[in-house]
Amino acid sequence: MYKLIYELHADNDLKQREIAEILNCSQRVYNNYERGNLDISTEILIKLSKYYDVSTDYILEITNKKEINK
């Protein structure tokens, strides 16, 4: 999951600082999410899912399907 959130921000040409601002956290906290040093809260997981328009299951690597069932 942690590698995947790194890939999502990198694939979208975002800097850690930019995604941290979107998530209302510091760059240091976000860096710790990506490195797996800090557990991602449900609130942050949902924010990431909404921002990248992917399912939470995709971020959690439960599925390879990015699309959200609508």
Side-chain angles (χ1 to χ4, degrees):
M1 165 174 69
Y2 305 107
K3 181 180 177 190
L4 188 121
I5 64 166
Y6 166 79
E7 290 171 356
L8 284 170
H9 106 252
D11 289 348
N12 285 279
D13 295 324
L14 293 167
K15 298 186 184 326
Q16 282 187 343
R17 174 184 45 79
E18 293 170 315
I19 193 65
E21 287 175 13
I22 291 164
L23 298 174
N24 294 318
C25 67
S26 70
Q27 181 178 348
R28 180 180 219 161
V29 167
Y30 182 75
N31 181 271
N32 281 317
Y33 289 149
E34 283 191 358
R35 297 177 86 203
N37 295 334
L38 188 60
D39 287 334
I40 298 173
S41 70
T42 303
E43 177 184 356
I44 296 295
L45 177 65
I46 291 169
K47 284 182 180 182
L48 287 167
S49 172
K50 287 182 178 181
Y51 182 78
Y52 291 119
D53 197 28
V54 297
S55 69
T56 53
D57 284 354
Y58 177 75
I59 294 173
L60 294 170
E61 298 183 272
I62 294 170
T63 183
N64 291 335
K65 185 179 172 186
K66 286 185 177 183
E67 296 83 28
I68 298 172
N69 292 333
K70 296 181 180 181

